[in-house]
Amino acid sequence: MSVILQRERLGASSMAEQVLRNIGPIVLLGPPGAGKGTQSKRITEHYRIPQVSTGDLLREHVKQATPLGVQIRDLMARGELVSDHLVCDIVAWRLREPDVERGFILDGFPRTATQAVWLDSFLKFEFFETGKWAAWLPIVVCIKVDYNKLLLRITGRRTCPVDGTIYNVYSNPPLVDEICDKDGAKLVTRDDDREEVIRERLDAYERQTKPVAEHYQQLSRVVDVNGDLPLDEVTASIVRVIDHNAESAVGSN
Ligand code: AMP
């Protein structure tokens, strides 16, 4: 059922109850260009739970030039992974903030099997054994997109350098080729959206994510969602998965 239909059928007050119950941890997996960022934002708004993005947390350390930020700056600039123990420490610190009590959506974490194993035991000790949640394993939603469609989506992406509007030369072109409709600026292609770079990014994603997906597949926690569908339908599928699994994962506590 679509989010809108669901809202109509439930009515405003039961919708509020529905979204304010415990959701638990959600892990969103998906290659670059799969719409992970957009879907994460929609899910956080729907359930009123925070998004925890390790990329954002690490970039903030770099920006503030904290001791950790100084240590990881060059490595991040090269697109390499930060070491597991540093990332896990940051996640532990973030997941002890009070706003995650009903649940949260993880973006960019776990990225290695070690991080996934660490996360399971952290959630077990911090949320399950303390009686906060009835279960602790995350719901893992994997957004699947056809490889060739993904290439078109990413290589077709153009951004306005002035107001940040994003176009796509194939699916959402500007009125005049390569020119922003709103301010007339010449559109640009992000350096990491060029085809040779994107192929490398997609391969790296496959290599990195496979062990994480396998870890959760063994625990029967992975649900695939068709990311080729229109945005609203992808959101509705993710909401369906979360509604179904959150109930069986965290019960009514
Ligand atoms: P992202 O915004 O998720 O693409 O992350 C940007 C950069 O932050 C990555 O290229 C890594 O250098 C680092 N990073 C983010 N999340 C992780 C993680 N879970 N493990 C290791 N490094 C990470």
Side-chain angles (χ1 to χ4, degrees), residues 60-122:
E60 192 55 29
H61 275 273
V62 173
K63 196 170 141 202
Q64 304 287 336
T66 64
L68 171 71
V70 171
Q71 194 182 336
I72 62 176
R73 189 184 50 208
D74 294 346
L75 189 142
M76 277 185 73
R78 292 193 299 270
E80 289 170 28
L81 289 187
V82 174
S83 67
D84 287 334
H85 75 277
L86 291 178
V87 181
C88 292
D89 274 357
I90 283 190
V91 172
W93 169 84
R94 177 64 185 90
L95 296 186
R96 289 187 176 122
E97 297 278 314
D99 64 331
V100 302
E101 294 258 304
R102 287 177 39 252
F104 49 86
I105 183 158
L106 284 166
D107 180 4
F109 185 92
R111 250 190 175 86
T112 64
T114 307
Q115 292 176 11
V117 171
W118 173 87
L119 179 67
D120 295 350
S121 62
F122 179 85

Side-chain angles (χ1 to χ4, degrees), residues 113 116-117 120 137 210-220 222:
V117 171
D120 295 350
L137 284 173
K210 224 172 171 189
V212 175
E214 280 169 2
H215 170 82
Y216 287 117
Q217 265 149 8
Q218 279 164 10
L219 298 166
S220 305
V222 183

Side-chain angles (χ1 to χ4, degrees), residues 3 25 50 88 107 111 145 147 172-173 193 214 239 249 253:
V3 180
C88 292
D107 180 4
R111 250 190 175 86
V145 186
Y147 188 88
N172 175 32
D193 279 351
E214 280 169 2
V239 165
N253 65 332

Side-chain angles (χ1 to χ4, degrees), residues 155-229:
T155 55
R157 199 152 58 183
R158 300 286 183 276
T159 312
C160 171
V162 177
D163 69 0
T165 306
I166 298 172
Y167 298 87
N168 190 291
V169 295
Y170 306 108
S171 56
N172 175 32
L175 295 172
V176 179
D177 245 13
E178 305 290 334
I179 299 293
C180 179
D181 293 346
K182 296 178 190 158
D183 53 34
K186 178 144 177 49
L187 303 179
V188 295
T189 305
R190 266 171 44 180
D191 276 346
D192 57 355
D193 279 351
R194 292 179 199 285
E195 185 160 345
E196 55 290 3
V197 182
I198 196 60
R199 280 189 192 279
E200 178 47 39
R201 280 172 67 200
L202 289 175
D203 290 349
Y205 169 80
E206 279 296 319
R207 276 196 311 273
Q208 287 168 8
T209 314
K210 224 172 171 189
V212 175
E214 280 169 2
H215 170 82
Y216 287 117
Q217 265 149 8
Q218 279 164 10
L219 298 166
S220 305
R221 299 302 295 170
V222 183
V223 184
D224 291 343
V225 159
N226 181 357
D228 289 329
L229 297 173

Side-chain angles (χ1 to χ4, degrees), residues 33-45:
K36 229 172 5 134
T38 308
Q39 295 300 340
S40 279
K41 191 162 180 296
R42 288 171 162 220
I43 298 304
T44 60
E45 282 165 7

